[in-house]
Amino acid sequence: AKQGGRNGMRFFDQGMQDHINARADMERALRIAIDLHQFELHYQIQVDQHGRARGAEALVRWRADGKMMSPAQFVPLAEETGLILQLGSWVLEEACARLRAWQEDPGLRALTLAVNVSAAQFHQPGFCEQVRGAVARHAIDPRLLKLELTEGIVLKNVEVAVQSMAALRAMGVRISLDDFGTGYSSLQYLKRLPLSQLKIDQSFIRDLVNDRSDQAIVTTIIAMARSLGLDVIAEGVETPEQRALLQKLGCFHYQGYLYGRPVAVADFEQLVLGPPSA
Ligand code: C2E
Ligand code: CA
Ligand code: CA
Ligand code: CA
């Protein structure tokens, strides 16, 4: 407990000190992991209304001492420490290498790959050039690469964001607005953004079948997408009932456990191609 001493340390209790130490340990471990490339991408399938695979979202995993850590456990720290810039570069490079590999397989070559981008990464000078470089190095069709941005990233600096997005779109790269509906989203500002897709946040899908206000929100998002000429995809689709309702409301692209969890690349490719023939 603090007793109002001059020594700032007295404001910390042991629990806080432990927390700080654990954080410092984790930051050190994260730095090493980045140097040693101890990350891998998992892939979650995205399908159309016929259930056909159209693409994937790449989701980063950290393999630490044999166990997988999910991004919720380290992406926020990577963002606070700036390490997200190096991690994000690795993710982009790895995703483009994957698209390159898929180009060689007739069953995989039409798949798009969506990559999550952090605010610091998107707003760093030279981000567009980094994307251009990765696309060129791996000789991929830029239209197959999708960058997932959140409204928060865009609202940080709308003028700069619009410019960067326009440059990316001019290259042919696609942009999806992730977690859509959770932020501030008026048609007024959306129409200024050079987007390809709105991604309906999973929080609206969870109770969609029973919750009338979620239905109203999803209906509105789909109408917004339509009036802006954008694709729309729903994430977090877990049941056939959710999928059926989404289709009825006019959403024809889906991602969620109903179709597949994020999995290692070999499992993802098998999911798309079917089991190897004997
Ligand atoms: P997100 O971009 O919104 O990704 C969707 C999250 O929902 C993923 O969690 C995914 O595994 C999970 N999910 C997918 N389908 C379902 C479903 O049907 N039901 C439920 N309950 N969940 C589902 P994950 O992989 O743990 O990633 C969490 C977040 O970490 C992502 O949220 C994204 O914000 C961030 N992230 C992941 N990979 C990267 C990356 O490479 N770079 C950056 N900057 N952020 C990343
Ligand atoms: Ca995402
Ligand atoms: Ca999302
Ligand atoms: Ca999210």
Side-chain angles (χ1 to χ4, degrees), residues 17-35:
Q17 193 57 49
D18 289 348
H19 176 78
I20 289 162
N21 291 341
R23 204 187 114 101
D25 285 349
M26 176 116 159
E27 183 178 339
R28 251 188 313 275
L30 194 54
R31 260 177 219 287
I32 293 167
I34 286 169
D35 286 340

Side-chain angles (χ1 to χ4, degrees), residues 6 18 31 35 60 70 87 91 94 98 112 114 147 178 182 198 202 210 212 214 235 244-245 251 256 259 268 270:
R6 269 195 203 133
D18 289 348
R31 260 177 219 287
D35 286 340
V60 73
S70 79
L87 179 58
V91 169
E94 184 73 9
R98 187 57 58 203
T112 60
L147 300 178
D178 199 1
T182 59
L198 299 181
Q202 56 188 54
N210 298 312
R212 297 286 289 273
D214 284 345
E235 68 178 350
L245 183 50
C251 174
Y259 302 98
F268 172 77
Q270 196 180 83

Side-chain angles (χ1 to χ4, degrees), residues 41 44 57-61 70-72 75 79 84 87-88 91 115-118 121 148 178-179 199 201-202 206 235-238 255-258 260 262:
L41 293 183
Q44 187 176 31
E57 177 176 5
L59 294 154
V60 73
R61 301 290 182 260
S70 79
V75 165
E79 285 174 336
I84 195 69
L87 179 58
V91 169
V115 173
N116 292 284
V117 178
S118 281
Q121 199 188 351
E148 294 201 356
D178 199 1
D179 301 343
K199 192 172 203 184
D201 190 66
Q202 56 188 54
R206 203 166 297 130
E235 68 178 350
V237 180
E238 296 184 353
Q255 178 182 345
Y257 296 166
L258 179 61

Side-chain angles (χ1 to χ4, degrees), residues 2-262:
K2 58 180 188 191
Q3 293 289 330
R6 269 195 203 133
N7 185 348
M9 278 310 289
R10 291 184 61 185
F11 286 91
F12 292 94
D13 61 22
Q14 191 58 43
M16 284 169 83
Q17 193 57 49
D18 289 348
H19 176 78
I20 289 162
N21 291 341
R23 204 187 114 101
D25 285 349
M26 176 116 159
E27 183 178 339
R28 251 188 313 275
L30 194 54
R31 260 177 219 287
I32 293 167
I34 286 169
D35 286 340
L36 301 179
H37 304 296
Q38 288 173 338
F39 296 93
E40 55 185 83
L41 293 183
H42 279 195
Y43 299 84
Q44 187 176 31
I45 193 169
Q46 299 177 330
V47 305
D48 63 20
Q49 75 267 39
H50 309 293
R52 278 196 290 260
R54 298 296 290 267
E57 177 176 5
L59 294 154
V60 73
R61 301 290 182 260
W62 177 8
R63 193 189 279 285
D65 315 313
K67 65 171 203 273
M68 279 306 180
M69 266 211 262
S70 79
Q73 295 169 269
F74 64 90
V75 165
L77 181 64
E79 285 174 336
E80 285 166 40
T81 54
L83 290 168
I84 195 69
L85 298 185
Q86 285 156 269
L87 179 58
S89 304
W90 179 84
V91 169
L92 181 65
E93 229 22 73
E94 184 73 9
C96 289
R98 187 57 58 203
L99 277 171
R100 172 74 260 157
W102 288 348
Q103 289 314 283
E104 314 303 326
D105 190 317
L108 302 170
R109 68 165 49 121
L111 296 175
T112 60
L113 185 54
V115 173
N116 292 284
V117 178
S118 281
Q121 199 188 351
F122 180 76
H123 286 289
Q124 76 181 302
F127 176 69
C128 295
E129 289 318 306
Q130 191 188 331
V131 174
R132 194 193 304 281
V135 165
R137 235 179 341 273
H138 296 279
I140 57 168
D141 181 347
R143 291 168 303 182
L144 300 175
L145 179 64
K146 214 180 263 179
L147 300 178
E148 294 201 356
L149 307 179
T150 59
E151 291 170 84
I153 294 177
V154 175
L155 289 172
K156 244 185 139 135
N157 190 334
V158 179
E159 298 311 318
V160 171
V162 168
Q163 270 187 31
S164 300
M165 290 163 84
L168 291 162
R169 294 289 286 137
M171 270 179 234
V173 171
R174 296 190 177 156
I175 299 172
S176 180
L177 207 51
D178 199 1
D179 301 343
F180 191 72
T182 59
Y184 172 79
S185 36
S186 68
L187 272 173
Q188 197 57 26
Y189 110 98
L190 271 183
K191 74 174 187 199
R192 299 180 50 208
L193 304 181
L195 296 168
S196 321
Q197 183 181 66
L198 299 181
K199 192 172 203 184
I200 306 172
D201 190 66
Q202 56 188 54
S203 62
F204 304 113
I205 309 303
R206 203 166 297 130
D207 304 315
L208 180 69
V209 174
N210 298 312
D211 188 320
R212 297 286 289 273
S213 58
D214 284 345
Q215 290 168 15
I217 290 165
V218 167
T219 302
T220 302
I221 292 173
I222 293 166
M224 281 173 130
R226 187 170 296 146
S227 68
L228 293 164
L230 305 177
D231 291 340
V232 62
I233 184 168
E235 68 178 350
V237 180
E238 296 184 353
T239 69
E241 292 76 20
Q242 290 168 341
R243 192 219 91 107
L245 183 50
L246 282 161
Q247 184 172 12
K248 198 178 130 207
L249 297 176
C251 174
F252 305 115
H253 289 92
Y254 321 101
Q255 178 182 345
Y257 296 166
L258 179 61
Y259 302 98
R261 292 183 177 252

